[in-house]
Amino acid sequence: MTNPPTSELPVLRKVIRSSTIDLIADQIRNAIYSDSLEPGQSINEVRTAQMLAVSRPSLREALQRLVSEGIMSHAPGRGAWVKLMTPEDIDDIYAVREAIEAQAVKIVIRSAKPTARISQALTDLEAAIAGNTARVIGDADLDFHHAIVACSGSARLSDLMKVSMVHTRLLSLSDRRGYEVRCDLIESHRQLADAVAAGDESASLGLVARIMAEAAARLHDPGLGSGAVTVRAGDHDAPADDQWSRLRDTMKP
């Protein structure tokens, strides 16, 4: 079975201009988000530069940007590798997520921005849950939260959210227990979409805070809410056979 494209981050594409560091960084972010590059995966500079048709100095500059974003790690003599998140990262990442989304909510409500994109993202999340595939549900969930930020119209908040989405995905992919999502939280997301559409700032901010707190708590202790309905990733959730996946065996630490 072929999985449909699910990433909201920039689509993988060959980099044409070696001076365009943004495009290189976007490609690597997208590969990490889609799990084509795994947590802990090292980057072979020679093979990666050849694959992207870019110079090694340009690749190094893009990698340094991703290190500064907390998406990759670097050490002398070891080069760069995809960051492996730990339980100590959970609260910090979700605190940042809450700050970004809360500010976006304020802008959307106070400026009376259109919220059709949020409604569509909620519909897509409902369809993903009905499909019962962990990675598709996880992507749709993040897409819903991205839609809130996108509706604010703030390019800077959207850039921050793009990085935060990768951080969130890395948290799940770094979990030794495996990638798992809850699919019984649609009601809280529906309430949030309704509150934002209704212009209820207080309720919207409260729901954002609650959703972030519950997500962080579940990562700390999966036993919370023993009656929760969850879906775990299986073989059919494997990432697409793309250019990054084919290089995996040559980029191991």
Side-chain angles (χ1 to χ4, degrees):
M1 179 183 295
T2 301
N3 290 332
T6 55
S7 176
E8 180 68 17
L9 296 173
V11 175
L12 286 170
R13 57 195 182 278
K14 186 174 181 179
V15 178
I16 303 301
R17 296 187 302 161
S18 61
S19 61
T20 308
I21 309 305
D22 287 342
L23 292 178
I24 303 174
D26 278 346
Q27 286 229 29
I28 297 173
R29 280 193 210 94
N30 204 69
I32 295 170
Y33 186 74
S34 67
D35 195 25
S36 292
L37 285 177
E38 301 172 324
Q41 186 82 53
S42 64
I43 295 294
N44 182 306
E45 284 189 10
V46 174
R47 292 181 179 275
T48 303
Q50 289 174 343
M51 181 183 72
L52 298 177
V54 299
S55 68
R56 289 180 67 183
S58 293
L59 174 61
R60 290 193 193 106
E61 186 173 342
L63 291 174
Q64 187 55 49
R65 179 178 299 179
L66 297 175
V67 170
S68 70
E69 293 176 355
I71 291 173
M72 303 198 73
S73 299
H74 179 273
R78 286 193 59 189
W81 64 93
V82 180
K83 186 174 178 65
L84 183 66
M85 297 295 183
T86 69
E88 287 70 33
D89 294 306
I90 295 172
D91 291 335
D92 190 40
I93 287 174
Y94 275 97
V96 172
R97 278 275 308 276
E98 181 180 345
I100 294 170
E101 294 185 40
Q103 185 60 34
V105 162
K106 291 178 184 178
I107 293 173
V108 171
I109 291 176
R110 295 177 186 180
S111 301
K113 300 280 189 179
T115 60
R117 183 166 180 173
I118 300 173
S119 298
Q120 182 58 55
L122 179 66
T123 298
D124 294 342
L125 177 57
E126 292 170 336
I129 290 173
N132 205 43
T133 300
R135 284 295 301 275
V136 177
I137 295 170
D139 285 348
D141 181 28
L142 284 172
D143 288 348
F144 172 82
H145 292 280
H146 180 268
I148 294 174
V149 178
C151 283
S152 74
S154 170
R156 290 176 177 83
L157 282 179
S158 291
D159 285 343
L160 290 171
M161 186 60 178
K162 179 171 65 175
V163 174
S164 189
M165 288 170 70
V166 182
H167 289 165
T168 304
R169 175 54 52 80
L170 278 174
L171 277 177
S172 296
L173 294 175
S174 297
D175 194 329
R176 294 181 179 180
R177 295 160 301 203
Y179 186 87
E180 184 178 82
V181 297
R182 283 190 66 174
C183 54
D184 58 353
L185 297 176
I186 189 63
E187 186 56 34
S188 61
H189 288 65
R190 186 179 293 114
Q191 291 172 1
L192 176 55
D194 289 345
V196 173
D200 190 335
E201 183 175 315
S202 177
S204 298
L205 295 177
L207 284 161
V208 168
R210 190 184 100 195
I211 290 171
M212 296 301 116
E214 290 179 350
R218 289 195 304 275
L219 283 171
H220 279 301
D221 182 5
L224 290 175
S226 57
V229 180
T230 62
V231 179
R232 183 173 292 275
D235 293 338
H236 59 290
D237 288 292
D241 179 22
D242 59 25
Q243 55 188 351
W244 294 100
S245 298
R246 291 191 291 272
L247 278 179
R248 272 184 169 183
D249 290 341
T250 67
M251 296 196 294
K252 291 181 178 178

